[in-house]
Amino acid sequence: MSADPAEPVYRNPVLDADWSDPDVIRVGDDFYLTASSFGRVPGLPLLHSRDLVNWTLVGHALQRLEPESEFAAPRHDCGVWAPSLRHHDGRFWIFWGDPDRGVFQVNAPEIRGPWTRPHLVKAGKGLIDPCPLWDDETGEAYLVHAWAKSRSGVKNRLTGHRMHPHGTELLDEGKVIVDGDRIPGWFTLEGPKLYRHDGWFWIFAPAGGVETGWQGAFRSRAFFGPYEEKVVLEQKDTDVNGPHQGGWVRTPSGEDWFLHFQQRGAYGRVVHLQPMRWGGGGGWPVIGDDGAPVAEHRRPDLPPQPPAAPATDDDFPGGRPGRQWQWTANPRDGWATHHSADGLRLTCVRTPDAHDLRALPNVLTQRLPGTPCTVEVDLRLDDGEPGARAGLAVLGDAYSWIGLQRGPDGTVRLVHRFAETAADQERDAAPARPAPGGRARLRVDIDAGARCRFSYDTGNTGDTANTADTGDGAGQGGFRPSGQVFAATPWRWVGALLGLVALAPTGQGHAGTATFTQFRIRIQEKRADR
């Protein structure tokens, strides 16, 4: 969704989908944001705004995950965790932690690139959430990071390093500069963002966990401490649970703002914009409404901008997916075919994991919208052999998909399948039905709570059940419901995903192709402003 610039206020969230662990900077009159991308490719999304409310996706900084062999198969909760975005010495820099390998960085002269290949700044397990700082006052450079207990056995502390000004290496072994175990009531301290302001070193860092935590601020006159702390944003009596982990940015006119996430189950981590000011109670930052998140607020003092939002719809011109799509692992040649017309032509990739979409690297995904919506796409199953199939999925720890499959006799049928969280293979959600011509329009209506209702239109199939036309004018019989309501589920750290997939059982030779056209997402309850 996008915000109407004529309205004097905006409403949260300003990014109503899973843009996890956001960080933000301003360069001139432009604001840029990046977010976690975990095991999806391309990674490190790059968003642009001129008003902090309307955002568009302009690219990605990471085209492939390294080492490539480790991300040849899905690792949904691994990869790129909590990046920090900075601009220094005429270049854009992004640092992130791979919890299994260490701290990486990439850099580029422009936000759209070209970006360097990933450079390993510090190797080690459990090093996460790094943030650099180039101190213009002294010429020194620093880096702070947190710890993942699952890999290191350590958490709830922040470690600081001196860094080479080139951003390529650290100059010491590091020192714990904030120990959350020494602060009464604090736990799961992570996600630090490092700043210099008013003669202080500032670390903005969340604690308390993603669903119930709070935003803290730490300050010290010296980088290595000692630091004092204060809670500067928490839920209080609002309905915004766990408001924390994000970045501070200042507008050209001197206004201060803070962007952070809220964990919303299957929708992932949606992004809120909070007003911020300095000087509350001894020079500390005051975020939101005296430390509570705002649902709506006066818009930033910035020039009005046309309504904008990250793209969702796609006609796939030339067979190329839009930049909103990501594979579930490093892609391989031949998965998608470029051509002169519209439509996404996917190869039915042979796999021994045809019974479980969660194990497939060749699922093309985008984020699930955070508001009720209807998702539709046209599918044609082209030439192929028995077992070839393709469809539209809602993908998480549990999943459900609807699509087409070629049978032993060569006919194509509409199938609908699902897998529970603990299940190692899928099963039918509804009986298979004829799909004349090997075509169908697929639909998922996603209501509040990410409850998904699947339906399909295969034209005049001869199926007399559920033939009421929905008024959409699709096919001769209209959309027919399929299966029971499916409640979308997230991964451990990632919201549920919408996915397009084509696959086939193991065997020899070409198994066929599937063509997707006219992918559309229609918001059911669009708000007038944001």
Side-chain angles (χ1 to χ4, degrees), residues 160-438:
H161 296 265
R162 293 189 183 276
M163 183 176 72
H164 194 291
H166 291 166
T168 55
E169 60 182 318
L170 304 180
L171 303 179
D172 56 34
E173 293 301 312
K175 174 186 175 182
V176 175
I177 58 176
V178 179
D179 186 346
D181 290 343
R182 295 179 178 271
I183 308 174
W186 285 58
F187 60 96
T188 317
L189 177 63
E190 58 187 353
K193 295 293 181 282
L194 181 59
Y195 305 98
R196 199 82 155 95
H197 174 68
D198 196 25
W200 297 85
F201 287 91
W202 291 89
I203 299 174
F204 285 36
V210 296
E211 294 185 352
T212 58
W214 58 89
Q215 179 66 38
F218 300 81
R219 70 180 182 184
S220 174
R221 292 294 184 183
F223 172 71
F224 286 104
Y227 282 84
E228 52 184 325
E229 81 285 340
K230 184 177 182 179
V231 175
V232 293
L233 183 69
E234 56 187 328
Q235 181 172 354
K236 295 189 176 180
D237 60 355
T238 75
D239 60 359
V240 181
N241 61 294
H244 67 261
Q245 190 157 337
W248 160 47
V249 69
R250 175 167 285 178
T251 69
S253 66
E255 288 185 345
D256 296 301
W257 297 86
F258 184 72
L259 282 148
H260 67 92
F261 77 71
Q262 174 199 11
Q263 173 70 34
R264 290 190 57 223
Y267 299 116
R269 301 174 182 181
V270 303
V271 178
H272 292 238
L273 176 67
Q274 302 295 337
M276 175 176 148
R277 60 182 174 85
W278 291 92
W284 291 88
V286 178
I287 301 177
D289 180 9
D290 196 24
V294 300
E296 64 178 40
H297 193 269
R298 173 189 55 81
R299 299 171 67 90
D301 181 20
L302 293 163
Q305 301 296 318
T312 56
D313 295 354
D314 206 346
D315 288 323
F316 310 105
R320 293 171 172 82
R323 57 175 61 101
Q324 68 267 34
W325 297 95
Q326 297 170 292
W327 299 99
T328 48
N330 282 327
R332 303 171 200 167
D333 291 340
W335 285 357
T337 303
H338 296 167
H339 52 86
S340 59
D342 288 351
L344 177 69
R345 191 175 299 161
L346 294 183
T347 299
C348 295
V349 176
R350 293 189 179 277
T351 174
D353 296 313
H355 57 281
D356 189 350
L357 300 191
R358 295 164 295 197
L360 300 184
N362 60 304
V363 184
L364 194 61
T365 68
Q366 67 166 282
R367 293 161 179 82
L368 187 73
T371 54
C373 65
T374 296
V375 182
E376 291 184 8
V377 67
D378 283 330
L379 171 62
R380 184 182 73 239
L381 192 61
D382 300 318
D383 61 303
E385 61 180 53
R389 68 200 76 160
L392 168 66
V394 177
L395 190 65
D397 274 340
Y399 73 84
S400 186
W401 71 279
I402 190 168
L404 300 173
Q405 178 169 331
R406 191 172 299 277
D409 60 355
T411 61
V412 176
R413 299 180 71 81
L414 190 291
V415 296
H416 182 189
R417 300 194 173 113
F418 77 103
E420 301 166 85
T421 299
D424 58 4
Q425 66 179 42
E426 63 189 24
R427 55 196 180 99
D428 287 335
R433 302 171 185 270

Side-chain angles (χ1 to χ4, degrees), residues 433 456 463-469 477-482:
R433 302 171 185 270
Y456 65 95
D463 175 13
T464 59
N466 301 310
T467 58
D469 198 320
F479 279 92
R480 299 169 171 83
S482 180

Side-chain angles (χ1 to χ4, degrees), residues 428-447:
D428 287 335
R433 302 171 185 270
R439 297 172 179 265
R441 183 146 183 90
L442 310 173
R443 173 189 282 182
V444 187
D445 290 296
I446 306 173
D447 296 334

